[in-house]
Structure formats: C-alpha cells, structure tokens
RNA sequence: GCCGGGGUGGCCGAACGGUUCAGGCGACAGCCUGCAGAGCUGUUCUAUGUGGGUUCAAUUCCCAUCCCCGGCUCCA
C-alpha cells in the first residue's frame, strides 16, 4: 500500500491518483540565477526517486518541472554581467541540466519556463481580479488580497493575524494594503531595464508565485496529484500558489504536497547566502564520483535533514563500492558445476524476501534506508554463497535480475565511464609492468610499482580477473 | 513570539508497544591472499537527551524538561 506524508494534512495518506494509472506530478524547479549546489540538488534527487518509484509501481507519470527565469535575482545578475536576460539564464539552465545528467536524474517530461508563459499568467491574474481576490496598487502593480481567501494558511498552518505581527517588510514599501499580500504582477520599474512585457495588465513582469500556478494548471489541469519542493517553499511560495489557484478555479489545487528537508552543513542550512555550499562540480574536482553524491543524497529519508560531511560522503562512496563490487563478483564467479545442496531454492526465497522488504519500505513514504538494508542483507548472504563456491549461474541470474530491478530505482550501480578521466598511458604501462613482475613472483618490484601508482593517485587491486584500478580520493 | 522537524552505538541511519534495537561506514582481530584489497566471521554493540507516568511489556504512548535544526515573503 503506497503511502506518502502529506504536508497539507500532516500525516501519512494512502496514495490514490485522480486518474487510475496516471500521476500528475509537479516539481518546483530552480531559479536560474546561479549554479545549483548539492543542497538544491537534493530536491531533484528526491523527486527522481519519487518518480522512479511511481513508475516502478506501474504509474504513467506526467512530470512537470518549472524553471524560474525571471525574478529579482535573475534581473540583478543580468545587469551585473551586462547581458540580455535570456543569455544570462541560459548559462545556468545548461549547467543545471548537466548536473541532472551527472546525477542520473531523469528529466521531467515538460520543463516550462516562466518567460514563455506570460499569457497564461495574465489570464489567471485577470480571473483573480474579476473574482475580487486581487487589487491594483498606485504604481500599477497587482496584489493578491490574502484576507479574501478564507483558507489562507492551510498549508503552512500559519494564521493571518500572526503573519502581520511577524512581518519583516515595511507595509508601505510597495503600496500593498497588507504586508502579507503578495505580488501577482509587478509594474515596470526603471531598475528592471528592458525586462518587461506589454500585456493587458500593463507594462511589467509577473510575481514569483503566479508562474507555478499558471504552468502547473496548463500542463496538469486544475487539480494535480503531487506537488513537490523543499520545505522552505511551504511558506510563502506554496501557500500562495494554493491561494491563487484555488481562488481562481474553486477547486482543490493539489492532493498531496511532498516536501524534502534541507541539507545541513556544520549545523547550518546549506544556502547560497551563507556561502557554505558545494556544487556538484566542486566535489568532482576533489575526485568524488557524482553518482556517489547521488547515493548519499538518496540514502537518507527525504524528510530528514541531511548533515553533509566529507566523512559521510566517503561512507556513501564505500557503501556504493560494496554494491558495485558485488555486481562484479556476481558476474565473475558463478560456478558452472551444479552442486548438491539446495542453494537454488534458498536463493530464490532470499531474492523474493528482499524484493518484498524493499517494496514495502519504499511504499512507506520512500523509506530508502530500510529498503537499502534489505539489499545489503541479500548482498551479505549471497557473498557467503559465493565464498563457498556453490553459486550457480542460475542463482546468479536470479540475484542479478533483482539487482537490476532495484537499480531502476536507485540508478547508482553502473559507473558512468565519461565522468572520471581514463588513466593515462603511463599509468596503464605501469600496471602492465607490475603484472609482469607478479607473474615472475618478483614481489619487490610489484610492490614498488604499486606504491608509485598510489602516489600518482591510483589504487591497484589484484582480483582473480586481473588488476583493477581505483582512483584515490583527495580531501 | 508563532509554526514545523528532530535528539538511537565512534559516525551515519532504520524500527515506533512485544523474538538478541535493521543496515551502512569506521576501527581492531581471525580466515583467505605473495603482501594488500575484495569477501566472510567476530569484537567495538549491556546505543534509544533527561525526569516522571501508563502498561505484563516503551526506543515506540502520555506529561514535564533540556538541547539542536528549519520556516515566519531571497532561498531546494
């Protein structure tokens, strides 16, 4: 029974899509004003896991993820660099897509950009004006009147009266009636330069929240099954999205809200303003495999803060290596001789148990830690059988089939060749020389070469199938 | 102040009323190996923030208390 924790109700609920067999999934994407750091990327790894699990469970997932390519920060950045907005954001979109690729994240089927959906937003704002949920300010901007929407605060559990008390923004700053009213449309300001659209609402640009309402409803309809984002989006972004959308349509906007927790570093949230972040490429420069980063981000329950440390990353790398080594052993060491014992039935049973445990854990709000425990238990048990030299090809095939099914969800077992550079010719020559020495049992020479390779950053491991190279990591 | 989420072994992390409290990483030892690595076995492991309560039984439920992180219009 597939269940998810719903932020709206604050409890776990059995998942039931609106349309049988189809899931309408909307994810809040990145604001493309800078490179994504691994904290940002956690959100997308989480969505990827969610999507893969839904697909594993047989759903056709209609996945939409927006790209915010116009807002205060993109405009500021564009001006600083003195390039057109599109040129400025395109750079970060490309980099973002590269990161997704490196992390083996399946891209959403539709990736709408805010700047390409101005008309949809204008229409939505017109409806809100018409229905009396929005008003014009003196400068021509349009604001949403939160006091008109009776369920305001439903998602974040905040009360309007308390919002007023805690307001950090001066009431008169933008000519809003209420500090907590938010912009649907911003009238053009000289600071915006040439970033504006001439629309029925006047010359200006959209507010931050309206794009997600307009685009999600365009591609997924007025009600969607799942909406995801980081916990920081609960308020104000998603609260406002909900208010706008439901005020406009009179219908439930989202059935299940799923929010991932933050990445924490040295006791503080990883964030751009604190400058305590790493990008994926920062880590790759330290010889970390991006897929290990995926594994790290993946292997903690998405609703728990994840404390990022290099020790943790290494632990993830080593755990992942264990799984990869296992796959290799599975391929290499199956014996051809059938044995007397009843291993086959036992293996079959263990494979089935593992599959059940894995599925049960994942169905329970994507409890990956528990799901992985089931996998590691199988790995240990099968390794034992391999050690006793009684694993048959048929056994190996059973296990391999399961592992490959699980790999559809995890996406971590097979290293991407292109990611880390190939060892140089010199390195490969040394490995060959060492093998020659080993053949002649000249251990002194062999060990000297091994030490030399280590200094060059490579670890050599001797396996029955010959030497294997691993790259030494640097801090 | 208001609203969330947490505190489990050296570290990370499950379980959330009941067989010895999963699993991973690390360290140490043994088997194996030319040595190492990988793998297996064992040890570290009489681990559930603190104090009460409910119960035959609590990590799990209740009350109190301490501490940590996040949100309260830039933020995944």
């Amino acid at each position: 029974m597939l269940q998810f924790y719903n932020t709206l109700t604050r409890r776990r609920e059995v998942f039931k899509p609106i349309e049988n067999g189809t899931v309408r999934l909307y994810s809040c994407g990145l604001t493309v004003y800078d490179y994504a750091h691994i904290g940002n990327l956690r959100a997308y790894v989480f969505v990827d896991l969610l999507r893969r699990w839904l697909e594993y469970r047989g759903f056709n997932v209609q996945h939409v993820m927006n790209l915010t390519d116009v807002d205060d920060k993109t405009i500021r950045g564009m001006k600083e660099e003195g390039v057109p907005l599109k040129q400025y954001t395109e750079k970060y979109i490309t980099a973002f897509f590269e990161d997704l690729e490196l992390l083996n994240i399946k891209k959403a089927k539709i990736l709408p950009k805010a700047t390409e959906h101005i008309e949809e937003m204008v229409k939505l704002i017109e409806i809100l004006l018409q229905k009396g949920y929005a008003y014009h300010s003196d400068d021509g901007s349009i604001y949403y009147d939160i006091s008109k929407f009776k369920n305001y605060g439903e998602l974040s559990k905040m009360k309007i009266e308390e919002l007023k008390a805690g307001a950090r923004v001066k009431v008169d700053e933008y000519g809003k009636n209420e500090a907590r009213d938010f912009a649907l449309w911003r009238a053009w300001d000289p600071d915006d330069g040439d970033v504006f659209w001439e629309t029925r609402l006047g010359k200006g640009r959209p507010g931050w929240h309206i794009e997600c309402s307009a685009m999600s409803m365009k591609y997924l309809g007025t009600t969607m099954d799942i909406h995801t984002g980081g916990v920081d989006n609960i308020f104000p972004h998603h609260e406002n999205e909900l208010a706008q959308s439901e005020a406009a349509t009179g219908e439930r906007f989202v059935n299940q809200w799923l929010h991932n927790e933050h990445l924490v570093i040295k006791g503080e949230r990883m964030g751009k303003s604190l400058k305590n972040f790493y990008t994926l490429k920062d880590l790759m420069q330290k010889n970390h495999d991006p897929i290990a980063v995926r594994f790290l981000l993946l292997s903690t329950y998405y609703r728990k803060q994840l404390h990022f440390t290099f020790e943790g990353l290494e632990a993830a790398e080593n755990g992942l290596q264990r799984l990869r080594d296992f796959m290799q052993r599975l391929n290499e060491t199956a014996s051809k001789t059938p044995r007397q014992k009843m291993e086959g039935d036992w293996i079959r049973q263990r494979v089935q148990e593992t599959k059940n445990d894995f599925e049960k854990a994942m169905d329970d709000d994507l409890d990956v830690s528990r799901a992985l425990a089931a996998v590691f238990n199988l790995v240990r048990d099968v390794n034992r059988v391999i050690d006793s030299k009684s694993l048959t090809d048929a056994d190996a095939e059973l296990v391999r089939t399961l592992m490959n099914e699980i790999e559809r969800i995890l996406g971590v077992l097979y290293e991407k060749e292109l990611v880390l550079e190939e060892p140089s010719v010199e390195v490969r020559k040394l490995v060959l020389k060492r093998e020659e020495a080993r053949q002649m049992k000249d251990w002194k020479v062999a060990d000297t070469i091994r030490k030399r390779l280590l200094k060059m950053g490579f670890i050599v491991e001797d396996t029955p199938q010959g030497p294997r190279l691993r790259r030494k990591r640097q801090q």
Side-chain angles (χ1 to χ4, degrees):
Chain A
M1 205 168 47
L2 185 54
Q3 298 187 69
F4 296 120
Y5 181 89
N6 191 350
T7 308
L8 193 66
T9 57
R10 303 287 153 109
R11 60 176 81 95
R12 281 184 193 191
E13 292 174 358
V14 174
F15 177 67
K16 222 169 59 203
I18 300 158
E19 189 187 327
N20 227 328
T22 297
V23 177
R24 295 168 224 266
L25 170 65
Y26 186 87
S27 308
C28 269
L30 198 68
T31 301
V32 285
Y33 72 102
D34 198 355
Y35 297 108
H37 60 247
I38 53 173
N40 300 123
L41 294 171
R42 182 187 192 188
Y44 309 112
V45 170
F46 153 61
V47 173
D48 188 54
L49 182 70
L50 171 66
R51 170 176 166 180
R52 285 168 183 256
W53 188 246
L54 290 166
E55 285 174 347
Y56 178 92
R57 279 310 197 190
F59 293 105
N60 168 31
V61 181
Q62 293 180 15
H63 185 198
V64 178
M65 187 171 86
N66 70 292
L67 293 167
T68 300
D69 59 350
V70 55
D71 79 322
D72 290 351
K73 280 178 291 189
T74 45
I75 290 172
R76 196 199 313 138
M78 156 201 104
K79 278 164 60 187
E80 273 166 20
E81 286 188 18
V83 296
L85 181 67
K86 197 169 171 61
Q87 189 183 326
Y88 177 77
T89 57
E90 210 57 48
K91 182 172 70 186
Y92 296 111
I93 291 173
T94 305
F96 180 47
F97 286 174
E98 274 170 24
D99 286 346
L100 295 183
E101 176 100 2
L102 286 164
L103 288 171
N104 204 7
I105 292 172
K106 289 187 180 184
K107 267 207 241 171
K109 290 171 188 168
I110 303 172
L111 289 143
K113 293 175 188 157
T115 52
E116 289 169 8
H117 295 78
I118 302 294
E119 173 58 21
E120 286 84 349
M121 296 187 232
V122 169
K123 272 188 190 146
L124 193 57
I125 294 168
E126 283 175 332
I127 293 170
L128 290 169
L129 281 166
Q130 212 175 69
K131 291 195 170 181
Y133 286 100
Y135 60 90
H136 288 271
S137 70
D138 294 342
D139 70 346
S141 292
I142 300 170
Y143 289 93
Y144 185 95
D145 182 351
I146 64 168
S147 67
K148 292 272 166 50
F149 186 68
K150 63 179 190 311
N151 284 338
Y152 195 84
E154 185 187 13
L155 182 66
S156 59
K157 315 294 174 207
M158 290 192 180
K159 297 185 176 65
I160 293 182
E161 313 82 67
E162 283 159 6
L163 292 181
K164 288 179 198 166
R168 293 199 299 206
V169 175
K170 280 186 237 150
V171 178
D172 57 359
E173 192 172 353
Y174 291 116
K176 306 183 204 180
N177 291 351
E178 251 323 317
R180 294 293 162 150
D181 287 351
F182 58 90
L184 295 165
W185 185 258
R186 292 202 166 170
W188 182 77
D189 179 287
D191 279 349
D192 292 348
D194 60 357
V195 179
F196 62 83
W197 285 264
E198 291 281 6
T199 71
R200 298 188 293 282
L201 303 173
K203 180 179 175 179
R205 60 182 169 102
W208 172 35
H209 316 293
I210 197 70
E211 61 177 79
C212 283
S213 291
M215 298 194 292
S216 62
M217 290 198 275
K218 173 174 181 181
Y219 295 105
L220 297 172
T222 50
T223 305
M224 65 206 69
D225 295 299
I226 301 175
H227 192 125
T228 70
V231 285
D232 53 295
N233 277 329
I234 296 171
F235 190 88
H237 187 48
H238 289 165
E239 189 70 60
N240 291 346
E241 264 183 61
L242 186 156
Q244 288 163 171
S245 307
E246 297 193 2
T249 66
E251 285 173 51
R252 196 26 125 195
F253 177 47
V254 171
N255 285 334
Q256 301 236 4
W257 291 91
L258 269 51
H259 292 98
N260 63 279
E261 257 297 349
H262 286 138
L263 212 59
V264 174
I265 184 163
K266 289 180 182 149
E268 279 179 312
R269 169 183 171 182
M270 185 177 282
K272 285 185 181 135
S273 49
L274 287 167
K275 294 193 175 155
N276 59 355
F277 60 88
Y278 292 97
T279 64
L280 186 60
K281 276 159 192 154
D282 289 338
L283 298 179
M284 285 170 70
Q285 270 172 11
K286 293 174 189 280
N287 277 339
H288 292 285
D289 174 359
I291 298 298
V293 176
R294 173 185 173 89
F295 190 61
L296 173 69
L297 297 178
L298 199 71
S299 48
T300 296
Y301 179 43
Y302 74 94
R303 289 205 313 118
K304 270 197 106 170
Q305 287 174 346
L306 173 55
H307 293 259
F308 177 82
T309 59
F310 281 97
E311 292 72 33
L313 178 56
E314 256 176 69
E317 273 160 352
N318 293 339
L320 177 56
Q321 193 58 47
R322 182 168 158 83
L323 294 178
R324 286 175 171 169
D325 285 345
F326 175 69
M327 293 307 284
Q328 205 164 341
R329 277 194 105 193
L330 212 52
N331 291 336
E332 289 165 352
T333 62
S335 82
K336 303 280 186 281
T337 43
R339 25 64 324 214
Q340 314 291 5
K341 286 184 259 173
M342 296 294 287
E343 227 67 284
D345 287 342
W346 184 74
I347 294 262
R348 186 178 299 275
Q349 189 192 326
R350 285 293 297 120
V351 163
Q352 191 55 49
E353 278 169 10
T354 304
K355 188 176 154 112
N356 290 345
D357 290 349
F358 187 89
E359 289 179 350
K360 213 174 148 199
M362 291 299 289
D363 274 347
D364 192 7
D365 202 29
L366 308 178
D367 191 347
V368 207
S369 312
R370 189 154 43 113
L372 284 173
V375 176
F376 277 107
N377 277 328
L378 181 75
V379 168
R380 194 213 321 106
D381 288 349
V382 173
N383 265 327
R384 231 182 326 219
V385 177
I386 292 173
D387 278 356
S388 72
K389 303 216 190 310
S390 55
L391 190 85
T392 63
D393 285 339
D395 292 337
E397 187 54 33
L398 277 175
V399 177
R400 196 180 303 118
T401 302
L402 176 70
M403 290 301 284
N404 283 332
E405 259 182 86
I406 286 172
E407 168 65 2
R408 276 169 53 206
I409 315 305
L410 302 180
V412 296
L413 292 184
Y414 304 106
E415 237 162 323
K416 295 212 166 164
E417 302 298 333
L418 30 143
V419 167
L420 300 171
E421 330 155 21
E422 283 289 298
S424 64
V425 178
E426 192 195 355
V427 168
R428 276 180 288 176
K429 268 191 188 158
L430 281 170
V431 172
L432 284 175
K433 248 178 101 180
R434 178 168 173 276
E435 264 313 278
E436 280 169 28
R438 287 188 70 238
Q439 293 303 317
M440 293 187 284
K441 303 212 186 291
D442 188 348
W443 310 125
K444 222 178 142 187
V445 170
D447 288 351
T448 307
I449 297 177
R450 186 159 61 190
K451 269 182 202 155
R452 198 166 146 201
L453 282 165
L454 187 66
K455 270 191 191 153
M456 295 168 77
F458 291 91
I459 298 163
V460 200
E461 290 172 3
D462 298 319
T463 73
Q465 289 69 41
R468 197 161 79 203
L469 269 188
R470 260 174 46 195
R471 200 171 285 263
K472 196 180 139 203
R473 290 180 296 263
Q474 295 157 1
Q475 266 306 84

